[in-house]
């Protein structure tokens, strides 16, 4: 073994990673969404997921103020729309209008579901952890939805064999696993 | 969309997931390791990773007491050894002895590196979050190591096309992406 910078170590193993959308609403009820790759299950019962959100993100402010978010799992066909959500700010654009994705009301939280996604999870924030440049929201899943259509979840992919690159921008590579 | 149980929604998208080893030492300095699938990056600078650990796990007690752990990223060839670490308790067995994996001293933390792994990250706990049945440790990476050998990281895989199942036990499926 040899010592190496963390950024170089990362390249050996940081893909594949799921790429999801996280929706939220601002105090006036206006919806926003962001692309999130920092996501993990964090409790079994009740089911809780953790998401890591940049402190500068408007979505983070929405989630902190409302105590709610939804996780929407996109199929690979939405690669370009997810990239748009990850590279633009909700302060400047209406991401639902710009991507054409459809906001649908959930059952419990005000953050919308995304109609075109494979899975949607309504989450209520049960804990928040400030780290440094990011904060981590822990959301208990209070309602779960699945699409009637099957599909392959979108992944952040590396350059290894076996993956299909579907859309690349600004060094971010989105795709899926080859059949 | 239709409403569904979270466990059924999960099956649509909870794989692939990285499967790593997390090492720790008890107060007497005895090393242990556990298989972890709940892992994410949680801060950019400094680099911080979050790991979710069952409250009943001895590794969790070790990490809480020592404030340290190491993340070791296994190649797919270690599927059986990783499964062993995930299905046995360090209270009953010496997992390094039983798996034949090699504990190597790190530079900064007492938790050992695993010689046979692709990447090893020494981490110091900067935050801890109790959730319910799990707790989440946030570890700042204080030293990073890579193997001289390349390899494919081990993944928790589903039943979708494109994945190679290498080892299965008790409903846990370990493998990788097909070339």
């Amino acid at each position: 073994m040899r010592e190496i910078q963390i950024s170089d170590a990362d390249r050996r193993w940081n893909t594949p990673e799921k790429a999801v959308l996280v929706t939220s609403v601002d105090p006036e009820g206006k919806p926003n969404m962001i692309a999130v790759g920092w996501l993990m299950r964090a409790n079994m019962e009740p089911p809780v997921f953790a998401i890591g959100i940049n402190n500068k993100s408007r979505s983070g402010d929405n989630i902190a103020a409302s105590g709610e978010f939804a996780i929407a799992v996109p199929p690979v066909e939405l690669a370009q729309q997810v990239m748009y959500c990850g590279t633009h700010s909700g302060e400047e654009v209406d991401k639902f209008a710009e991507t054409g994705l459809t906001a649908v009301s959930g059952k419990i939280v005000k953050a919308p579901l995304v109609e075109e996604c494979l899975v949607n999870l309504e989450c209520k924030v049960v804990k928040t952890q400030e780290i440094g440049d990011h904060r981590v929201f822990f959301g208990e899943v209070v309602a779960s939805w699945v699409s009637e259509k099957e599909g392959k979840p979108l992944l952040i992919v590396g350059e290894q064999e076996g993956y299909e690159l579907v859309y690349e921008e600004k060094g971010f590579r989105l795709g899926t696993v080859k059949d």
Side-chain angles (χ1 to χ4, degrees), chain A:
Chain A
M1 281 190 287
R2 63 192 162 84
E3 196 173 3
I4 195 173
Q5 293 293 313
I6 172 74
S7 53
D8 294 319
D10 264 0
R11 276 193 276 277
R12 290 271 194 117
W13 73 295
N14 67 353
T15 56
E17 197 76 83
K18 293 183 195 75
V20 302
L21 294 169
V22 169
T23 72
S24 60
V25 292
D26 73 10
E28 283 75 48
K30 188 188 166 202
N32 191 21
M33 59 183 160
I34 188 172
V36 168
W38 295 3
L39 168 83
M40 72 176 194
R41 184 77 175 251
N43 204 62
M44 191 57 79
E45 191 51 48
V48 173
F49 283 91
I51 56 172
I53 303 280
N54 193 300
N55 284 343
K56 294 178 185 162
S57 153
R58 185 191 184 99
S59 292
D61 295 337
N62 286 353
I63 295 167
S66 66
E68 299 179 346
F69 61 91
I71 298 171
V73 180
V76 62
E77 290 78 11
L78 296 185
Q80 195 167 348
Q81 288 92 328
V82 172
M83 186 72 78
Y84 184 90
C85 293
T87 53
H88 291 78
S89 167
E91 292 193 46
E92 290 158 15
V93 295
D94 177 335
K95 296 189 198 177
F96 279 97
E98 293 297 324
T99 59
L101 294 175
T102 312
V104 188
S105 292
K107 191 172 85 166
I108 296 178
V109 308
K110 291 197 186 73
L113 315 180
V114 180
E115 173 74 36
E116 293 81 1
C117 283
L118 301 172
V119 173
N120 278 273
L121 305 175
E122 298 184 45
C123 297
K124 278 189 174 284
V125 175
V126 290
K127 306 270 185 182
T128 303
Q129 184 71 70
E130 307 277 344
I131 311 292
D133 49 35
H134 280 63
R135 53 188 154 177
V136 173
F137 297 102
F138 294 90
E140 180 179 338
V141 180
V142 291
S144 311
W145 305 84
V146 294
S147 169
E148 303 295 338
K149 289 186 280 190
E150 295 282 333
K152 298 174 73 171
L154 183 67
L155 300 174
I156 302 168
V157 299
E159 301 191 1
Q160 305 95 327
E161 290 291 303
Y163 297 94
E164 182 185 350
L165 175 65
V166 173
Y167 189 76
E168 183 173 13
E169 190 180 318
K170 298 181 181 173
F172 295 102
R173 296 164 55 87
L174 294 176
T176 188
V177 168
K178 287 182 185 166
D179 282 336

